[in-house]
Amino acid sequence: MTHRLDVIIQGGTVVLPDRVEVLDIGIQDGKIVQLAPSLQGQQALRTIDANGLYVLPGAVDIHVHFNEPGLASWEGFTTGSAALAAGGITTYVDMPLNGVPPTTSKERLELKQQAANGNSYVDYALWGGLVEGNVDQLQGLVEGGVPGFKAFMSEPGGDGEDIFTRADQATLREGMKELARLGYVLALHAEDEEMVAALAAEAQAAGKIRELDYAHSRPIEAEVRAVRNALQLGRETGCALHFVHISSREAVDVITAARAAGQNVTVETCPHYLVLTEQDLLQKGVVAKCAPPLRSESEQEQLWQAVQMGLIDIVASDHSPCPPELKQTDNFFKAWGGIAGAQSTLLLMLEEGYHRRSLTLPALMTMLAQRPAERLGLAHCKGLIAEGMDADLVLVDLSRGKTLEQSDLLDKHRQSPYIGYSFSSTIVETIVRGSTVYSEQQGLAAERIGQGVAYKSGGVTYG
């Protein structure tokens, strides 16, 4: 008697790591167990007709801010993960700052895990934080299951006594030594604090408090200076590094040269640097404020060239929302900086990369799924379509699009700079471990099935 599968996805054009091929996908117990030109005759509890659709690996967004515990009024695991599910993201890694308290010890990690448990539509992992005074806590965070650590080289902002703080030079050096010993990667927000603080103070003292005044106070030079500093510390300590939300080609080239010289380092950029420019900052205002800031059109084009050359390892959203009132101020410097774009990452990259620039789908999904999973020790189950992997899949219609309306958004405050953007593609269905968590017709699933993903050492290194 033929063994009955849980799910068969029939006739979809499947995006594999090295090619695109029409295949049937058999799913059992949440795993992909068969990939074949046809599973005709095989029985299944559920069959999904994917004819005319593309089947992509679920994207892995390693840079989101969901702000729990303590700041669910900004964004929470439920609303944040709902937006990701609707956007074709099946796994995310939540940043350690913005929560109250931040994730800087094993005990605090447990608070975040409790907040996430049962409240996420898609699977997740949780970053640990490196701040001044917590180097002795890093091993406990490893024992608690974090896949990597995050530090700021510029002030992250925020109010209150117990907030996430900048790691000074001594903290970075000692933290990197410990993480090298533990075998974990350090992700860095790379902007030189001395430079950006001085330029911001100078601008405001002169009454220059508008959009471009802010953007010009955080120049590419500040990013590059911090990148060079961190790379030097990485060479001294042997710590693996990952640079988040890099906004300039110059910084990409510095990182690329370091890796060519043997350093274990990766680079991430975000859709907003590839889609929006300084002109959008002027037109859209605080909804498009971020750090590093949006750059010029010519800088953006150079960043796209880096993408096309394969120099960008990872694309992540840096979804960083806040209540609307924190965006309302006459002084642009004082408005909360963060772009809420989690739901649009995959569609933006399909639009700008595949439709407009003819990047291949395997190349796009390498940046959006495979390499993020590899970098953070999740590649044993996440990041690509292959037998034995979690059945995390996204069904996409590449020939039918729509214009994004505010009512389409599922994050808490719906403040996206992409409202009004016309996409050529549509997310039809998002599947996590074989279960549909979002469909275009039915919306979100009734049950939040997301669970924590275990880090597994021995993954891919870069250098």
Side-chain angles (χ1 to χ4, degrees), residues 1-8 27-29 33-34 42-46:
M1 180 177 177
T2 303
H3 178 68
R4 178 174 290 184
L5 297 170
D6 293 331
V7 182
I8 293 176
I27 300 169
Q28 185 72 36
D29 298 326
V33 294
Q34 289 181 271
Q42 178 70 278
Q43 294 183 331
L45 298 176
R46 181 187 179 208

Side-chain angles (χ1 to χ4, degrees), residues 90-356:
T90 54
T91 306
Y92 62 90
V93 190
D94 186 49
M95 284 294 175
L97 61 154
N98 301 130
V100 181
T103 313
T104 53
S105 71
K106 186 176 182 181
E107 293 73 25
R108 293 176 171 193
L109 173 64
E110 290 170 354
L111 292 175
K112 177 161 280 204
Q113 290 168 334
Q114 291 167 14
N117 186 29
N119 291 313
S120 183
Y121 286 96
V122 303
D123 288 350
Y124 58 87
L126 307 171
W127 287 95
L130 170 63
V131 296
E132 185 176 353
N134 88 319
V135 172
D136 62 345
Q137 301 294 319
L138 302 184
Q139 181 162 337
L141 284 160
V142 164
E143 293 167 356
V146 302
F149 291 81
K150 170 73 175 293
F152 270 73
M153 300 179 75
S154 62
E155 291 295 345
D159 298 316
E161 294 182 3
D162 192 7
I163 62 172
F164 200 90
T165 56
R166 176 174 66 94
D168 61 17
Q169 196 79 349
T171 299
L172 287 173
R173 181 176 283 106
E174 291 308 307
M176 286 188 194
K177 287 179 182 178
E178 177 66 357
L179 292 178
R181 182 186 74 82
L182 293 168
Y184 277 68
V185 66
L186 178 63
L188 290 159
H189 178 129
E191 289 184 290
D192 184 82
E193 174 61 22
E194 181 180 0
M195 179 181 291
V196 299
L199 290 173
E202 179 182 334
Q204 292 178 86
K208 298 178 178 180
I209 57 172
R210 302 309 305 157
E211 292 87 351
L212 294 186
D213 301 320
Y214 166 79
H216 296 162
S217 76
R218 306 183 85 98
I220 288 171
E221 183 184 352
E223 181 173 69
V224 173
R225 182 182 293 185
V227 165
R228 291 187 185 278
N229 180 24
L231 287 170
Q232 179 58 39
L233 290 172
R235 284 190 289 271
E236 293 174 8
T237 61
C239 183
L241 302 178
H242 174 67
F243 289 97
V244 302
H245 54 49
I246 290 296
S247 66
S248 67
R249 176 62 185 275
E250 185 177 354
V252 171
D253 288 344
V254 170
I255 296 164
T256 300
R259 185 160 65 194
Q263 197 158 355
N264 185 350
V265 58
T266 43
V267 57
E268 161 199 311
T269 194
C270 304
H272 42 267
Y273 299 118
L274 296 169
V275 177
L276 306 174
T277 68
E278 288 179 340
Q279 291 305 306
D280 293 291
L281 189 61
L282 285 171
Q283 294 170 13
K284 298 175 184 293
V286 290
V287 74
K289 181 185 177 183
C290 55
L294 300 176
R295 305 298 187 189
S296 67
E297 187 175 344
S298 62
E299 288 289 348
Q300 182 185 83
E301 185 54 39
Q302 291 182 58
L303 199 59
W304 266 113
Q305 290 173 10
V307 170
Q308 292 168 315
M309 293 170 65
L311 304 182
I312 301 293
D313 299 296
I314 292 166
V315 174
S317 70
D318 190 10
H319 178 72
S320 185
C322 71
E325 58 267 23
L326 295 184
K327 293 281 192 183
Q328 296 168 2
T329 173
D330 293 332
N331 184 341
F332 199 84
F333 285 84
K334 296 186 181 301
W336 180 262
I339 288 177
Q343 192 166 325
S344 301
T345 297
L346 177 55
L347 287 178
L348 285 166
M349 292 305 295
L350 287 170
E351 185 68 25
E352 299 290 339
Y354 174 76
H355 288 292
R356 297 192 181 184

Side-chain angles (χ1 to χ4, degrees), residues 430-452:
T430 302
I431 298 168
V432 174
R433 287 176 282 106
S435 295
T436 298
V437 295
Y438 169 84
S439 72
E440 182 187 15
Q441 291 189 341
Q442 301 296 324
L444 291 166
E447 185 180 359
R448 297 186 288 271
I449 67 165
Q451 62 186 26

